[in-house]
Amino acid sequence: QVQLVESGGGLVQPGGSLRLSCAASGSIFSINAMGWYRQAPGKQRELVAAITSGGSTNYADSVKGRFTISRDNAKNTVYLQMNSLKPEDTAVYYCNAETRPYGSSVVLEVWGQGTLVTVSS
């Protein structure tokens, strides 16, 4: 069983910064891509940023130049540094990982429980 636990959400003023963290734990043989998604009220969940095990990244156009995704493979942790936050960034942010548990050849997609980010003055 693999679990993802997010932290770092909260309330921030427009123009401010937050750093989200997501740590994977459990019976992990390997982790492929990791990513951050978000879901605003009344909207579909969307990809914010993703990073491969080799460090290649991709971002939603709406966050390019403001958000940075990174990972620490030794700690099975992915981060999302969010700068110049806007009210439209308000959403629940979810961590996602493609994991391969020990003793299995199957790659599983695992989700965290979500952390709320509110950008408001």
Side-chain angles (χ1 to χ4, degrees):
Q1 189 81 7
V2 177
Q3 293 182 327
L4 301 179
V5 178
E6 300 117 332
S7 61
L11 174 64
V12 63
Q13 292 186 342
S17 298
L18 280 176
R19 188 190 194 211
L20 305 182
S21 299
C22 171
S25 63
S27 180
I28 301 170
F29 177 76
S30 64
I31 302 178
N32 299 335
M34 301 185 80
W36 289 95
Y37 290 72
R38 67 186 180 187
Q39 187 166 19
K43 295 188 177 181
Q44 290 188 329
R45 190 174 298 189
E46 62 175 0
L47 174 68
V48 176
I51 184 167
T52 67
S53 57
S56 297
T57 60
N58 69 287
Y59 297 91
D61 288 343
S62 60
V63 306
K64 283 181 180 177
R66 300 189 297 123
F67 291 10
T68 302
I69 189 170
S70 60
R71 65 190 283 175
D72 184 333
N73 290 330
K75 296 182 179 179
N76 290 332
T77 299
V78 63
Y79 306 96
L80 185 68
Q81 178 66 44
M82 305 185 293
N83 298 329
S84 302
L85 283 160
K86 304 175 181 180
E88 51 263 45
D89 294 317
T90 296
V92 177
Y93 284 70
Y94 296 91
C95 178
N96 172 275
E98 298 174 350
T99 66
R100 181 181 166 190
Y102 275 106
S104 174
S105 61
V106 178
V107 176
L108 303 175
E109 186 175 39
V110 183
W111 291 89
Q113 81 286 355
T115 185
L116 178 62
V117 172
T118 303
V119 184
S120 175
S121 55

